[in-house]
Amino acid sequence: EDNTSVKGDMMCAMGAILFGASTVCQEWIIEDINIYGYMGSVCWYAGTISLVKVVVLEGDLLVRNVSRQPHILAYMFGMALSQFIFYSAMPQMLSRFGCGAATINILAADLYAAMAGYLLFGLSYSYIYISGMLVTVAGILVYTLMGDPDTAEDD
């Protein structure tokens, strides 16, 4: 059991590092290209990959559950609608506030979900989860507050 918790802690720390790296890469990518094209491409590829994943890995289970409980389709439609609204609003957020603000927004939702899990369901979290989230937020804040070095030189 101790080995499992160490692996989990390492995966959490690696996830936080990769999350911060992806935010920096997103900021770098949207500097040079159209934000609407970027988000359209992300949605297209993510949707295609997710559809293939569902069909290949979970197709039989999905068909079985939907045939027994058709209201599951309403949940799936609600999720698809919320994702559509999110990704439709994201280019505006990226163009106005940058990737740092968008990532902090998403992290806030993760934090609210973690707090709900703790308060409503009595779930416990490892210190590494909370410290990973705090380090990620601190890194994003520092990156956002420091500004773009190219812009600072022009002033």
Side-chain angles (χ1 to χ4, degrees):
E1 181 176 79
D2 190 49
N3 190 20
T4 305
S5 65
V6 170
K7 285 180 186 176
D9 290 349
M10 294 300 292
M11 289 174 64
C12 185
M14 184 57 74
I17 290 168
L18 291 174
F19 193 75
S22 73
T23 301
V24 172
C25 290
Q26 285 174 349
E27 193 74 46
W28 178 66
I29 288 170
I30 66 168
E31 284 179 358
D32 298 329
I33 65 170
N34 181 346
I35 294 173
Y36 293 98
Y38 170 73
M39 290 306 294
S41 297
V42 168
C43 292
W44 175 256
Y45 291 117
T48 303
I49 290 168
S50 294
L51 180 63
V52 169
K53 179 196 124 343
V54 166
V55 169
V56 171
L57 299 178
E58 301 170 2
D60 296 337
L61 182 64
L62 182 64
V63 169
R64 243 181 304 149
N65 285 334
V66 168
S67 66
R68 282 186 276 171
Q69 301 172 335
H71 67 278
I72 290 176
L73 288 175
Y75 295 138
M76 292 173 71
F77 177 75
M79 179 65 181
L81 182 63
S82 66
Q83 288 291 309
F84 176 77
I85 292 169
F86 174 77
Y87 284 112
S88 295
M90 189 55 67
Q92 290 297 320
M93 177 177 274
L94 289 173
S95 65
R96 291 184 180 179
F97 306 111
C99 289
T103 304
I104 289 174
N105 220 353
I106 294 169
L107 277 176
D110 289 345
L111 183 60
Y112 295 144
M115 287 179 4
Y118 177 75
L119 297 173
L120 297 175
F121 305 113
L123 300 176
S124 62
Y125 296 98
S126 170
Y127 71 92
I128 196 79
Y129 175 81
I130 295 165
S131 61
M133 184 171 282
L134 292 175
V135 167
T136 303
V137 168
I140 292 168
L141 283 172
V142 166
Y143 179 80
T144 303
L145 293 175
M146 293 296 288
D148 187 5
D150 296 334
T151 309
E153 290 176 6
D154 293 341
D155 291 341

